[in-house]
Amino acid sequence: QLQASGGGLVQAGGSLRLSCAASGRAFSAYVMGWFRQAPGKEREFVAAISQSGGTTYYADSVKGRFTISRDNAKNTVYLQMNSLKPEDAAVYYCATKYLGPVQSTTNYNYWGQGTQVTVSS
């Protein structure tokens, strides 16, 4: 089970830190990803991180602004979001990947409930 938190309302240019806490002992075995979905749009890849945290992946739209990290001792993955833009507003989801490329939603099998991020201009 995945529980995402940390969303909220922030002004453009501001920052938020999302957290995703996982239950169970297998957390460190999974690549973890963050996706987002804005109203009327498809869910899109944001970032992913390898099991050890040594490799990270980012969508071009967030590269240089967002940072994904994980703490396997706490079964938690984070998404630090800086320099937020109105177009970053969406519901953000964390998920565990079970196969294939990190960018595709179909390669993730467990999803959190989502946390809303709103960015005012």
Side-chain angles (χ1 to χ4, degrees), residues 3-76:
Q3 183 75 31
S5 61
L9 172 63
V10 64
Q11 287 189 329
S15 299
L16 281 175
R17 189 195 196 200
L18 306 184
S19 298
C20 174
S23 59
R25 293 175 290 178
F27 176 77
S28 62
Y30 288 98
V31 171
M32 298 296 297
W34 284 98
F35 288 75
R36 65 187 181 187
Q37 188 167 19
K41 295 188 176 181
E42 292 188 352
R43 193 168 296 188
E44 65 174 2
F45 171 74
V46 175
I49 189 167
S50 65
Q51 292 90 331
S52 68
T55 302
T56 55
Y57 310 83
Y58 296 96
D60 288 342
S61 59
V62 307
K63 206 171 290 184
R65 300 188 298 121
F66 291 11
T67 302
I68 188 171
S69 61
R70 67 190 296 163
D71 185 337
N72 287 341
K74 296 183 178 179
N75 280 11
T76 301

Side-chain angles (χ1 to χ4, degrees), residues 3 7 17 35 42 44 76 84 87 94 97 110 114-115 121:
Q3 183 75 31
R17 189 195 196 200
F35 288 75
E42 292 188 352
E44 65 174 2
T76 301
L84 281 161
E87 53 263 42
C94 58
K97 190 178 77 70
Y110 293 107
T115 184
S121 56

